[in-house]
Amino acid sequence: MVGRPSIRWLVLGLVVVSTLWHEKYFGLPHLVEPIFQPAYIRPPHPSEILPPHLVSNLTSPRAEAVRAAFLHAYNGYTKYAGSYDELQPISGEKVNNFNGWAVTLIDALDTLWIMGLHDQFYDAMPTIARISFLTQHKYAPFFETVIRVLGGLLSAYALSGEPVLLTRADDLGKALLPVFKTHSGLPMYSVNTATGETRNGWIGSQVLWSETMSCQVEYKYLAHLTGRVDYYHRVERVTDIMHRASVSNGLFPTIWKMDDAKPANKRYSVGAYADSAYEYLLKQYLLTSQSEPKALGMYLNAAKGIIENLFYLSPTRNLLYVTDTDQGSPSRKLEHLSCFLPGLLALGAQTLALPPADHELHEWAARGLAYTCYISYAESASGLGPEEVVMDAWPASGRFAGRWIDQVHAWIQNGRQGGVPPGLHEPVPTKTGHRDYRITSAVYLLRPETVESFYLLWRTTGDERWRDRGWEVFQAINNHTRTTYGFASIRDVNTVPTIKKDEMPSYFLAETLKYLYLLFVDEELIPLDRWVFNTEAHPLPIFEWTKWEKGQYGIPP
């Protein structure tokens, strides 16, 4: 007769053997280990040591200043806005403009972690756990919710390994899926996450190209973590539609018809209607360990088309800028949102095996455009960049006058005289002299695109001037947008003292301050060969599809 102690040991042994057998034949789930660099180690209880931001030795005085600014904004939000979406930094009031899902809190989570503010990070976990993503009588905008909320949860999970974050990301990912239940497969503008009902956006039964192609990074990573095949297939169907589309010069029209997934216009841009879609062509390829050649081919064709068709020089100082075209005619408009492009081109030049001539051209385009974005800041009275400028037209006739690629080819054919390509001479900024552009939208909305490109150019070239330019931008932000409660958008970059707007977008904490911090930290906390930033600056770890995933999703072996 076997005694009770022996029975307990027998049961325990069977459990251990069963567990080992299950792991051997089924494998462990995709769990992400937290980063174990000094900046990312979870600290002991606050009663045991000083808060990590007071004892960190990883940061420079400039980075510390950015972190102090972030804390001012974050503490103002948590104190006065609680779990609402955003803080109103002038009045100290709060507003729910993204379904009341604490969008600023979620957007800021990975910034907290990267800055070593782990106490604040873990203090946020109960709020994250309590949020209900099944909101009655409200419609969640798909694009913004994916990049801010889903991306924020996934990044915070990848950095910390906190299981609740993956659970909530999975909850949200499933709740948003009804947007794909359309005849074409293109996503609807918004969804009621409680009922699954969907709605069109402000352009009716059409959809912006940026909103169709800015979900693949988040959903592919979520598919990898959870094994839910629907996550992959829904977003890959959209990529397939665009891959099969008949487009000119690798460029995609900015608006598409929802019913048949055909272009609805002939306007091409890298600005508000298209920006992150081009970004995700490269980034979904990098995220999956460069395993998806379809996305790579689309990116390379698009980059070529952008450089050859949308890059122009201003007539007086030869400032290099990217614009949009309609029916083939350039508008000469440069949007602040387009200032993400230098960083994207620099990232592609760094990570892809481009032919030498293409590598050179992509680097030139990145450097020249980034400097023009800097000029737009440096020449304003406040030192902050306007939302939109229009460059002067060339006196010569013809709609392609000043097209950059033509002048680059001529310079090369003439023996590269002077050694500096057109558009890269970097004229000294002037606040009083002639400028070959006029400001058409003078607001500054705390946007990140310019400093994002500074960060990526610094990391890919090592040129310290990008850090110095970023410091100028940060000082202007601190001097002209700071309020009692946080930081505010301003109405006119050329009016000092500035007139502020009562808004602090969540992306200011997610993107602008994060990129500035990473620009000034000497250590590469988020290595570009191991992480990919989504379009809201949420870093996700590069991963490899497993054998069964490749078979399930139809990915080439």
Side-chain angles (χ1 to χ4, degrees), residues 465-520:
R465 291 178 298 174
W466 298 114
R467 301 178 100 183
D468 294 337
R469 292 160 184 164
W471 182 242
E472 290 179 36
V473 171
F474 172 72
Q475 288 179 303
I477 290 172
N478 212 30
N479 291 337
H480 296 298
T481 74
R482 191 181 183 105
T483 71
T484 301
Y485 305 105
F487 293 83
S489 301
I490 65 172
R491 298 186 181 277
D492 189 335
V493 297
N494 279 323
T495 299
V496 177
T498 54
I499 302 171
K500 298 177 177 64
K501 297 162 64 82
D502 201 9
E503 63 181 30
M504 186 176 75
S506 70
Y507 59 69
F508 179 64
L509 287 83
E511 301 184 73
T512 310
L513 293 177
K514 181 188 290 144
Y515 281 129
L516 283 166
Y517 182 77
L518 292 173
L519 179 62
F520 301 133

Side-chain angles (χ1 to χ4, degrees), residues 152-323:
L153 291 169
L154 288 171
S155 179
Y157 170 70
L159 290 166
S160 69
E162 283 296 308
V164 67
L165 295 166
L166 177 56
T167 300
R168 301 322 321 276
D170 191 28
D171 293 340
L172 180 59
K174 287 184 289 187
L176 296 174
L177 278 184
V179 299
F180 292 105
K181 293 180 179 179
T182 62
H183 178 72
S184 65
L186 297 183
M188 293 288 285
Y189 174 79
S190 64
V191 59
N192 182 311
T193 51
T195 66
E197 183 181 353
T198 57
R199 282 184 179 175
N200 292 323
W202 61 275
I203 52 174
S205 60
Q206 298 173 333
V207 61
L208 301 181
W209 192 58
S210 59
E211 295 185 347
T212 69
M213 289 290 289
S214 301
C215 54
Q216 287 76 5
V217 165
E218 295 82 3
Y219 267 100
K220 286 185 178 181
Y221 181 53
L222 187 56
H224 180 63
L225 293 176
T226 63
R228 296 188 190 278
V229 296
D230 211 24
Y231 290 158
Y232 180 90
H233 288 309
R234 294 288 187 178
V235 299
E236 189 64 4
R237 181 181 178 186
V238 179
T239 303
D240 287 337
I241 290 170
M242 297 304 167
H243 184 250
R244 294 192 303 266
S246 178
V247 298
S248 301
N249 301 313
L251 300 176
F252 292 83
T254 56
I255 298 178
W256 292 68
K257 300 174 185 176
M258 181 66 71
D259 56 352
D260 61 4
K262 301 295 183 183
N265 67 2
K266 293 184 179 180
R267 180 171 177 259
Y268 302 99
S269 173
V270 296
Y273 293 2
D275 47 5
S276 51
Y278 287 114
E279 182 182 354
Y280 275 28
L281 294 179
L282 174 64
K283 290 187 172 180
Q284 62 180 297
Y285 175 71
L286 297 179
L287 182 72
T288 59
S289 297
Q290 305 190 18
S291 63
E292 300 181 32
K294 180 168 47 185
L296 172 63
M298 294 169 72
Y299 170 74
L300 293 175
N301 289 335
K304 185 177 189 301
I306 291 167
I307 290 172
E308 293 184 353
N309 295 279
L310 303 185
F311 269 80
Y312 281 76
L313 293 171
S314 67
T316 305
R317 293 184 292 173
N318 281 353
L319 296 174
L320 182 59
Y321 66 98
V322 66
T323 190

Side-chain angles (χ1 to χ4, degrees), residues 76-98 100 102-104 485 502-504:
Y77 165 75
T78 55
K79 182 175 182 179
Y80 297 101
S83 59
Y84 277 63
D85 283 330
E86 290 182 346
L87 168 73
Q88 295 178 303
I90 298 175
S91 62
E93 296 297 323
K94 52 201 174 186
V95 60
N96 274 332
N97 48 357
F98 286 95
V103 67
T104 296
Y485 305 105
D502 201 9
E503 63 181 30
M504 186 176 75

Side-chain angles (χ1 to χ4, degrees), residues 100-116:
W101 294 344
V103 67
T104 296
L105 183 69
I106 296 174
D107 238 355
L109 285 175
D110 54 8
T111 310
L112 288 168
W113 191 270
I114 288 168
M115 290 184 176

Side-chain angles (χ1 to χ4, degrees), residues 293-426:
K294 180 168 47 185
L296 172 63
M298 294 169 72
Y299 170 74
L300 293 175
N301 289 335
K304 185 177 189 301
I306 291 167
I307 290 172
E308 293 184 353
N309 295 279
L310 303 185
F311 269 80
Y312 281 76
L313 293 171
S314 67
T316 305
R317 293 184 292 173
N318 281 353
L319 296 174
L320 182 59
Y321 66 98
V322 66
T323 190
D324 52 60
T325 63
D326 197 348
Q327 304 289 333
S329 297
S331 70
R332 306 192 314 278
K333 177 176 67 176
L334 171 62
E335 299 177 48
H336 190 293
L337 287 167
S338 300
C339 288
F340 85 97
L341 185 59
L344 182 68
L345 292 172
L347 180 64
Q350 171 85 359
T351 55
L352 302 178
L354 299 175
D358 290 343
H359 183 276
E360 186 176 56
L361 196 62
H362 287 210
E363 281 198 337
W364 290 343
R367 287 163 45 202
L369 176 57
Y371 188 77
T372 300
C373 294
Y374 162 68
I375 280 279
S376 73
Y377 277 71
E379 294 187 339
S380 76
S382 64
L384 297 169
E387 183 73 357
E388 181 182 293
V389 302
V390 173
M391 297 290 182
D392 292 346
W394 283 72
S397 60
R399 62 182 179 178
F400 300 130
R403 190 164 62 179
W404 182 58
I405 194 67
D406 300 332
Q407 301 204 23
V408 168
H409 286 161
W411 174 75
I412 292 174
Q413 290 170 3
N414 290 330
R416 301 186 178 222
Q417 293 180 3
V420 180
L424 274 78
H425 287 85
E426 299 190 357

